[in-house]
Amino acid sequence: MTNLGTGNPAIRLENVEKSFGDHVVLQNVSLSVGAGQVFALIGPSGAGKSTLLRCINLLERPTSGSITVDGVTIQTDHTIKPKELAALRSRVGMVFQSFNLFPHMTVLRNIALPQQRVLGRSRADAEDRAHALLGRVGLADKASQYPARCSGGQQQRIAIARALALDPKVMLFDEPTSALDPELGLEVLTVMRELADEGMTMVVVTHEMQFARDVSDHLVVMSDGGILEEGDPHDIFSGPRHARTRQFLRAVVDRQ
Amino acid sequence: MTETVWGAVAQGIVMTIQLTVAGFAIGAVLGVPILALRMSPLASLRWSARAFIEVTRGVPMIVWLFLIYNGPTQFDPALGSVFTSWVSAVAAFGLVSAAYMAEIYRGSLRAIKQGQYEASRALGMSSVDTATRVIGPQMIRVAVPASATYAIGLLKDSSLASTIGVFEITYYANTVASTSSSATPYFVAGAYYVALTLPSAWGARRLEARLRRGVAR
Ligand SMILES: Nc1ncnc2c1ncn2[C@@H]1O[C@H](COP(=O)(O)OP(=O)(O)OP(=O)(O)O)[C@@H](O)[C@H]1O
Ligand SMILES: [Mg+2]
């Protein structure tokens, strides 16, 4: 499964820094995600996990550093051309904690519209693809519903299908199950696990330690805008190197 | 006698509708660029839009009517043929409506969650697509109820145009009342306004329900 070092990484961050005003949120973060790897990103609240994730598709513009996704490199201290931005974003799918489906469109249109507008697919092709993906996330019967009529777990699976429809090279997840009851979260985790098994490159910010341990093949622990430690999830869970990691893991394990 | 009063006042119905529709349409269209200025990244543009909105809404409609109808002729009497009763009334209604509609649009824009923009950007949609496919349609849904309330208010305010000689419902009511020295024409006028507002309110509610069907949470 682990193919670090073989070929180019799917995602490479070099010396990424981000501040909001004087508030430094990310400091000199470098990270390399191999194709097909599943990264779990954990750490205390405010560590900068979401910010780091959002820097990968430039929803947040880093103050400095460079970002490479599937061969497209963006130097963030230069002005970024719309073309580069589009090229980068077309390679990255993102799933949010709050789903963010478009409430005024049916489930089918939610998945089809971006394909038509971004990839220029015909409506028929886009809708065929949407139906296929809905089947894959177990929601074939929801195509003509509006998102508000779907449960949170269903909405999140639809959001995953919407992102997958653009054939991304990597998928980013920002606490995809945090807004869900455990039972509904499980449906979403199942879909994510399948995606991982199919070889999708994934970076997942999560509070689900079980997912981090059992599904991810690389664990990154963040704290105070930097990477505290990273490596094999089992190693880190059984023997964290840093006192800060130990403290964080103890706190989450106690909570669960 | 009363039949002729009903008939006489009815002559103004079409004008009342035309004035309301024209004023509202101008406001609904002009409200968009004013909103754009109001949300501009340039502080100077933002402030001019804000000043325009506050001043326009701060001056009563009837004062606007007199200002636009009488103001220009003071500088050049020939302008009287441009600023006729009808043109002045439409201009005043359009101007004030633009300011109100810009604020209604702004309110509905603020009702849209940040996540909608983020999702659209993350999917790689252009800013034009984000505006026209994602944000715009949601904004319209939110703006419909407030806009309908405003339009119905405008229909009633259109009676003020009688003061500068626009031949609408209230104008005819005034004329008939002054010759007959009876209050009946005003009763008739009131009945016509209610007859016009009731279906508008009903139509607005139907439209709102239809638009909300998909969005209801
Ligand atoms: N748009 C913003 N403007 C200012 N500060 C921000 C902004 N977004 C994030 N921050 C700050 O950056 C820091 C990191 O935030 P971030 O959301 O990345 O943390 P996180 O690790 O995802 O936390 P959580 O687990 O609570 O989601 C926090 O101190 C936060 O207040
Ligand atoms: Mg976060």
Side-chain angles (χ1 to χ4, degrees), chain B residues 76-155:
Chain B
D76 181 358
L79 285 174
S81 62
V82 179
F83 288 92
T84 59
S85 299
W86 161 252
V87 168
S88 305
V90 170
F93 279 57
L95 183 78
V96 173
S97 300
Y100 277 100
M101 289 309 291
E103 286 297 276
I104 289 175
Y105 294 153
R106 195 169 66 92
S108 52
L109 196 57
R110 287 201 333 198
I112 293 167
K113 295 198 190 71
Q114 196 57 33
Q116 294 289 307
Y117 298 89
E118 290 189 346
S120 188
R121 280 164 65 204
L123 287 163
M125 303 245 276
S126 69
S127 35
V128 172
D129 281 342
T130 303
T132 59
R133 310 282 179 145
V134 178
I135 306 302
Q138 293 187 60
M139 241 180 95
I140 291 171
R141 281 165 173 76
V142 183
V144 160
S147 308
T149 307
Y150 178 74
I152 289 167
L154 196 65
L155 180 86

Side-chain angles (χ1 to χ4, degrees), chain B residues 8 16 22 26-27 33 49 53 66 75 79 109 111 116 120 123-125 127 137 140 145 158 170 189 196 203 206 215:
Chain B
T16 291
I26 291 173
I53 290 167
F66 288 142
F75 299 101
L79 285 174
L109 196 57
Q116 294 289 307
S120 188
L123 287 163
M125 303 245 276
S127 35
I140 291 171
S158 71
T170 305
L196 288 175
R206 290 258 331 223
V215 197

Side-chain angles (χ1 to χ4, degrees), chain A residues 4-216:
Chain A
L4 252 185
T6 59
N8 289 322
I11 305 173
R12 190 209 294 280
L13 305 182
E14 279 179 289
N15 306 322
V16 168
E17 309 225 343
K18 172 71 190 176
S19 25
F20 292 104
D22 314 332
H23 184 26
V24 180
V25 175
L26 293 177
Q27 265 179 77
N28 211 16
V29 175
S30 298
L31 199 66
S32 182
V33 184
Q37 278 199 308
V38 178
F39 268 45
L41 209 56
I42 64 172
S45 183
K49 307 179 296 291
S50 297
T51 307
L52 182 65
L53 203 66
R54 293 157 57 85
C55 281
I56 296 176
N57 66 354
L58 293 174
L59 273 186
E60 222 64 84
R61 169 86 62 100
T63 323
S64 68
S66 77
I67 293 163
T68 307
V69 177
D70 186 43
V72 177
T73 300
I74 298 219
Q75 299 288 345
T76 52
D77 36 12
H78 298 188
T79 47
I80 300 173
K81 297 193 202 79
K83 263 237 171 70
E84 292 177 319
L85 195 60
L88 183 93
R89 290 202 176 135
S90 74
R91 288 166 165 75
V92 183
M94 187 162 197
V95 174
F96 301 87
Q97 181 177 346
S98 50
F99 331 135
N100 298 344
L101 294 176
F102 304 136
H104 59 296
M105 292 176 206
T106 61
V107 166
L108 188 72
R109 293 305 301 154
N110 260 277
I111 305 175
L113 180 78
Q115 300 177 57
Q116 294 171 236
R117 305 308 304 167
V118 178
L119 302 180
R121 285 188 186 143
S122 73
R123 181 167 180 148
D125 287 352
E127 292 188 349
D128 281 351
R129 186 80 212 283
H131 278 298
L133 282 164
L134 278 173
R136 184 166 151 196
V137 299
L139 294 172
D141 55 331
K142 292 286 175 191
S144 58
Q145 285 288 4
Y146 282 90
R149 287 295 191 77
C150 302
S151 73
Q154 291 169 341
Q155 290 192 47
Q156 193 62 298
R157 287 185 281 158
I158 295 160
I160 293 174
R162 181 174 69 173
L164 288 176
L166 299 176
D167 302 321
K169 296 293 192 294
V170 309
M171 286 282 284
L172 311 176
F173 297 82
D174 193 355
E175 299 194 27
T177 58
S178 297
L180 301 173
D181 293 341
E183 212 171 315
L184 299 181
L186 225 49
E187 305 173 347
V188 174
L189 289 171
T190 305
V191 169
M192 290 171 64
R193 191 187 292 258
E194 282 167 12
L195 206 54
D197 289 343
E198 287 161 21
M200 176 60 81
T201 308
M202 295 162 61
V203 181
V204 185
V205 173
T206 186
H207 287 146
E208 305 269 354
M209 291 305 138
Q210 202 164 351
F211 181 90
R213 185 169 18 207
D214 301 341
V215 181
S216 77

Side-chain angles (χ1 to χ4, degrees), chain A residues 44 209 244-256:
Chain A
M209 291 305 138
R244 186 78 186 83
T245 313
R246 211 171 304 135
Q247 186 193 342
F248 172 71
L249 288 179
R250 196 170 327 120
V252 280
V253 168
D254 283 351
R255 194 168 358 128
Q256 284 173 349

